[in-house]
Amino acid sequence: MDKLTIISGALFLAADIFAVVSLAMPDWIVSDIGGDTRLGLLWTCETLYNRSQVCYAPSLGGAWLVTLGCVLLGCVCVTATIVLLALSHCRLSVHVMTYARWVGFTAMVLFCLAAVVFPMGFYVEEIGGEPYQLPNSFQVGYSYIFFVLALWMTVVSELFAGKVCLPHF
């Protein structure tokens, strides 16, 4: 296994971890007006006026449901890419690396689609904004930042897997 494949696999693994962590935390959109509100794709947590925190599974609108599906499928593709990269080391088939590149590319496209579709959901009742216009009382949270980091790591690792970006070692 060459150095670029190892770097690509490590970056894909880091991207997978960041994407899963971003889904697990309810900090995609946050606000501290009138209490603490944390909106996520799997969990929403609210703390109203110093009461105890209440977390529940949100009923997602169309845009955020598509985002959730894209991120979940992207995580599956990234995991499959890591497995295919590991199998390419065993040299079971000449085409394993090609499959890994295409599955990684699919993960990158799914993550990019999720990043474009997610802001369309800012119209939800909890936020009260318009598509692509987040009100001033809300801001993006750590989960969304982790997701964007996972997206960029997937792009860079795909460049390494495709040997498009060749560093000098």
Side-chain angles (χ1 to χ4, degrees):
M1 189 180 302
D2 62 342
K3 290 180 185 178
L4 290 177
T5 305
I6 293 171
I7 292 170
S8 178
L11 287 172
F12 272 122
L13 179 64
D16 206 13
I17 291 169
F18 278 118
V20 169
V21 167
S22 76
L23 281 177
M25 295 178 4
D27 294 320
W28 282 67
I29 302 293
V30 296
S31 175
D32 57 358
I33 306 296
D36 184 32
T37 304
R38 298 171 18 211
L39 304 172
L41 296 177
L42 295 177
W43 295 103
T44 294
C45 296
E46 296 176 339
T47 306
L48 300 175
Y49 301 109
N50 297 326
R51 295 182 187 157
S52 62
Q53 184 178 28
V54 177
C55 293
Y56 56 91
S59 59
L60 298 175
W64 285 8
L65 195 58
V66 170
T67 300
L68 176 62
C70 286
V71 174
L72 287 174
L73 286 174
C75 287
V76 169
C77 287
V78 169
T79 303
T81 301
I82 294 167
V83 170
L84 288 170
L85 287 174
L87 288 176
S88 74
H89 176 65
C90 301
R91 305 213 191 274
L92 297 174
S93 171
V94 181
H95 303 290
V96 174
M97 189 62 174
T98 304
Y99 296 142
R101 289 181 192 140
W102 279 107
V103 175
F105 179 76
T106 304
M108 181 183 70
V109 168
L110 287 166
F111 282 167
C112 288
L113 182 63
V116 169
V117 170
F118 178 71
M120 293 171 112
F122 291 166
Y123 68 88
V124 295
E125 185 178 334
E126 292 90 353
I127 296 176
E130 296 292 325
Y132 296 105
Q133 294 180 348
L134 192 62
N136 291 335
S137 58
F138 287 87
Q139 55 192 347
V140 295
Y142 291 112
S143 294
Y144 186 72
I145 293 169
F146 283 166
F147 168 69
V148 171
L149 185 61
L151 184 148
W152 280 106
M153 286 183 138
T154 304
V155 170
V156 171
S157 56
E158 182 63 22
L159 290 174
F160 280 121
K163 296 181 176 34
V164 174
C165 182
L166 296 173
H168 300 285
F169 289 115

